[in-house]
């Protein structure tokens, strides 16, 4: 009976692996082409993500491979350092992931602000879509996101004037229509995934009509894989180059780790199996990226699209994701020439849809209604990525999130009590930080100076140096009359306030 159950589970996993393979194939190729590397390297990363990472402990059902979220950063790295040095960066990023997993730092990725994560994905989506709109017409993008967005008007005019560009646009637009419409046919969507259907229809249309559109350049799996050499390591040793490479390396490591672990958390909500061990999953991703780096391939992350397809197809164990890597390997070795038939405009259509899904329009609207501070963090992160680059944009988002948190926790207000003796008792309550100092000083300076004032700071839970200095300067002002009829003079209150702020609060 137990053997029969294993056979049943194997059949379910085999069927799920075929579904994941059909979903992963066009995405692997599309991400590689958009990253500026041979299409075969996307398949290499998918193969490693299935055959190697799929066997390692961590998440049982999520599937790894090249992700659209790293496309922009990989393209910038390839253009700056060359395709050979890309393998070095991916290798080092994988080693850093292993170290972080060994040090049990995986759980700390939960502390990253949701606004920063969604803003990062939104910025990547905008940059990705802006670049792929040019590929839809077989045109060359300008490079930066702002330049691409500014050149859309000229792109539209050039497309209208060129029959070849219009044909490519028709293929890309048709691909997008199929991607959006195919899932609505439930019976068909259960048999074949939308990306595969869209790519197959576009390829057949181009071949049947003999349209003059650009296609993928095929090198072959052996020719595409280039192991990093000494000269590739040497390119990163220069001063200015080293600083830029360190930024790219940190971006690879943090973004790949965050995307993988956030995907694991999302996949855990889709099934009732054991939850993901974040630290083991981080080690597994690190091992996979180390191998991808040695092969000169693309960086790897866990991809929510493939993982969700794996769960929804009925996968029960790691066998499904391992087999999906085997199907990719068989395709890359037996049918590599098939890639040369795929039009670039069709892949651009797939990536435009993928980029649009990264932009959380509905989540932003809901976040704006419920928590505007987090929505501002999202918008700031996305805008900074579009204006600068991915790494600097994420840093700007983190800084915005920290500032928002400091602002929200620094609640302080003044309680003013007019006593029977004619003294105004001013009691500060809350957390007094420099962020609230201008408002506090405005309230203090608005108090009448012709009456005795009693400044009491014992209600403060936190008092930073800036506020303490400002309170002391205000209390020592010649125009301020201070009395102690209701609890001591202002100087005594300042001392007690400092002691209260330093004392631990019970119950916390």
């Amino acid at each position: 009976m137990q053997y029969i159950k294993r056979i049943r589970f194997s059949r379910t996993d085999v069927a799920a692996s075929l579904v994941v393979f059909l979903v992963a194939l066009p995405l692997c190729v599309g991400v590689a082409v958009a990253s500026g590397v041979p299409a075969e390297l996307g398949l290499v990363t998918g193969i490693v993500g299935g055959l190697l990472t799929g066997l390692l402990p961590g998440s049982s059902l999520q599937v790894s491979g090249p992700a659209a979220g790293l496309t922009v950063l990989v393209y910038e790295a390839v253009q700056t350092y060359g395709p050979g040095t890309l393998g070095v960066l991916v290798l080092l990023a994988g080693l850093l992931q292993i170290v972080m997993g060994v040090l049990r730092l995986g759980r700390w990725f939960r502390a990253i602000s949701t606004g920063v994560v969604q803003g990062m994905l939104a910025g990547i989506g905008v940059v990705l879509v802006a670049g792929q709109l040019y590929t839809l017409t077989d045109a060359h993008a300008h490079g930066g996101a702002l330049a691409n967005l500014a050149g859309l008007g000229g792109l539209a005019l050039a497309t209208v004037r060129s029959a070849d560009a219009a044909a490519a646009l028709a293929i890309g637009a048709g691909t997008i229509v199929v991607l959006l419409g195919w899932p609505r046919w439930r019976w068909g969507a259960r048999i074949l995934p939308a990306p595969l259907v869209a790519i197959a229809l576009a390829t057949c249309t181009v071949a049947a009509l003999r349209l003059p559109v650009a296609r993928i350049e095929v090198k072959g799996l052996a020719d595409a894989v280039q192991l990093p050499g000494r000269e590739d390591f040497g390119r990163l040793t220069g001063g200015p180059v080293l600083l830029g490479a360190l930024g790219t390396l940190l971006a690879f490591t943090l973004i790949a780790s965050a995307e993988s672990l956030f995907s694991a958390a999302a996949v855990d909500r889709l099934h009732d199996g054991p939850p993901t061990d974040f630290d083991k999953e981080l080690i597994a991703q690190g091992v996979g990226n180390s191998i991808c780096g040695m092969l000169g391939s693309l960086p790897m992350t866990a991809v929510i699209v493939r993982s969700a397809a794996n769960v929804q197809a009925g996968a029960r164990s790691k066998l499904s994701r391992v087999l999906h890597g085997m199907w990719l390997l068989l395709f890359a070795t037996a049918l590599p020439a098939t890639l040369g038939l795929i039009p670039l405009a069709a892949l651009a259509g797939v990536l435009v849809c993928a980029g649009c899904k990264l932009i959380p329009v509905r989540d932003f609207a809901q976040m704006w209604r419920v928590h505007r501070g987090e929505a501002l963090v999202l918008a700031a992160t996305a805008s900074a990525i579009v204006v600068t680059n991915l790494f600097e944009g994420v840093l700007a988002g983190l800084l915005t999130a920290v500032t928002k948190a400091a602002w929200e926790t620094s609640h302080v207000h003044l309680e003013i009590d007019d006593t029977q003796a004619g003294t105004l008792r001013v009691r500060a309550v809350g957390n007094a930080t420099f962020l609230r100092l201008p408002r506090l000083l405005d309230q203090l300076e608005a108090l009448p100076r012709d009456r005795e004032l009693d400044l009491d700071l014992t209600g403060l839970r936190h008092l930073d140096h800036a506020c303490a200095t400002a309170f002391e300067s205000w209390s020592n002002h010649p125009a301020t009359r201070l009395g102690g009829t209701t609890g001591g003079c202002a100087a005594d209150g300042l001392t007690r306030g400092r002691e209260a702020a330093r004392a631990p609060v019970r119950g916390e």
Side-chain angles (χ1 to χ4, degrees):
M1 180 65 67
Q2 186 176 2
Y3 178 76
I4 295 176
K5 289 183 179 179
R6 288 180 180 178
I7 294 295
R8 288 179 179 176
F9 273 22
S10 298
R11 289 178 179 177
T12 304
D13 288 329
V14 170
S17 69
L18 291 172
V19 174
V20 178
F21 160 70
L22 296 176
V23 173
L25 179 60
L27 292 177
C28 288
V29 176
V31 170
V33 174
S35 301
V37 300
E40 291 85 352
L41 292 184
L43 296 176
V44 170
T45 300
I47 293 169
V48 175
L51 296 181
L52 177 62
T53 307
L55 291 173
L56 297 177
S59 177
S60 299
L61 299 180
Q62 77 170 349
V63 184
S64 300
L70 284 173
T71 300
V72 177
L73 188 60
V74 172
Y75 180 83
E76 293 177 354
V78 171
Q79 298 301 315
T80 304
Y81 310 110
T85 309
L86 173 65
V88 178
L89 294 172
V90 176
L91 169 61
L92 296 178
L95 295 178
L96 285 178
Q97 286 182 305
I98 295 175
V99 172
M100 290 192 299
V102 172
L103 297 178
R104 303 184 64 82
L105 298 180
R107 69 191 70 178
W108 288 101
F109 281 89
R110 298 180 179 180
I112 300 178
S113 168
T114 304
V116 174
V117 176
Q118 291 185 325
M120 176 190 70
L121 296 177
I124 292 172
V126 172
V127 176
L128 180 61
V129 171
Q132 291 305 306
L133 288 177
Y134 289 81
T135 309
L136 277 175
T137 62
D138 286 348
H140 294 285
H142 296 290
L146 288 179
N148 289 336
L149 291 173
L152 291 180
L155 177 65
L157 292 176
T159 303
V160 173
R161 297 172 180 174
S162 173
D164 294 347
L169 179 60
I171 293 298
T175 302
I176 295 175
V177 170
V178 174
L179 289 171
L180 297 178
W182 184 260
R184 297 185 179 182
W185 186 25
R186 296 183 179 180
W187 185 83
R190 291 177 182 176
I191 299 176
L192 292 174
L196 184 69
V197 174
I199 294 296
L201 289 177
T203 303
C204 294
T205 302
V206 170
L209 300 180
R210 297 182 180 180
L211 297 178
V213 299
R215 294 176 175 83
I216 296 177
E217 296 182 2
V218 180
K219 292 185 176 181
L221 196 61
D223 295 332
V225 174
Q226 296 181 357
L227 305 182
R230 290 185 178 180
E231 62 278 3
D232 297 318
F233 285 89
R235 293 192 185 99
L236 303 178
T237 57
V241 175
L242 178 60
L243 293 177
L246 287 176
T248 303
L249 174 61
L250 291 176
F252 273 163
T253 306
L254 297 178
I255 295 173
S257 301
E259 188 170 348
S260 297
L261 297 182
F262 292 148
S263 173
V267 172
D268 286 344
R269 292 193 291 267
L270 298 177
H271 65 89
D272 55 359
T276 301
D277 186 321
F278 277 19
D279 297 315
K280 291 182 179 179
E281 179 63 22
L282 195 56
I283 294 175
Q285 295 294 325
V287 173
N289 273 319
S290 300
I291 300 301
C292 288
M294 293 179 184
L295 298 175
S297 185
L298 296 173
M300 170 197 307
T301 68
V303 186
I304 185 61
V305 176
R306 302 172 205 178
S307 303
N310 189 39
V311 175
Q312 294 169 1
R316 294 292 183 268
S317 68
K318 297 180 180 181
L319 179 62
S320 62
R321 59 183 190 176
V322 175
L323 287 178
H324 120 274
M326 184 177 297
W327 306 140
L328 288 175
L329 177 60
L330 291 175
F331 177 86
T333 54
L335 301 171
T338 308
L339 297 177
L341 302 176
I342 301 176
L344 291 178
L347 292 178
V350 172
L351 292 176
V352 166
C353 289
C356 290
K357 290 180 180 179
L358 294 175
I359 305 174
V361 178
R362 294 182 179 178
D363 292 341
F364 180 80
Q366 182 179 2
M367 191 180 295
W368 181 259
R369 292 192 299 267
V370 178
H371 201 314
R372 292 192 175 183
E374 203 69 22
L376 291 176
V377 172
L378 189 157
T381 306
S383 301
I385 290 175
V386 173
V387 173
T388 57
N389 55 57
L390 188 58
F391 182 66
E392 295 178 3
V394 171
L395 291 182
L398 291 174
L399 179 60
T400 306
V402 172
T403 303
K404 178 193 74 73
W407 175 263
E408 291 180 346
T409 56
S410 61
H411 289 294
V412 63
H413 66 278
L414 299 180
E415 297 178 352
I416 302 175
D417 183 20
D418 194 351
T419 64
Q420 295 180 356
T423 301
L424 282 180
R425 185 172 183 268
V426 182
R427 186 169 185 267
V429 180
N431 300 302
T433 67
F434 69 95
L435 295 174
R436 303 286 181 172
L437 184 56
R439 182 181 178 184
L440 283 175
L441 290 179
D442 290 340
Q443 292 177 328
L444 291 173
E445 291 173 358
L447 296 174
R449 299 298 183 95
D450 56 348
R451 300 178 60 181
E452 292 185 350
L453 302 177
D454 181 11
L455 180 60
D456 184 4
L457 304 182
T458 57
L460 292 177
R461 301 180 62 181
H462 175 74
L463 177 65
D464 67 4
H465 179 71
C467 287
T469 303
F471 281 137
E472 189 169 3
S473 300
W474 178 83
S475 64
N476 294 329
H477 196 279
T480 304
R481 298 176 58 191
L482 299 171
T485 58
T486 61
C489 67
D492 294 338
L494 180 62
T495 302
R496 295 197 308 273
R498 284 173 171 168
E499 294 174 352
R502 287 195 297 265
V505 180
R506 295 181 180 178
E508 293 189 350

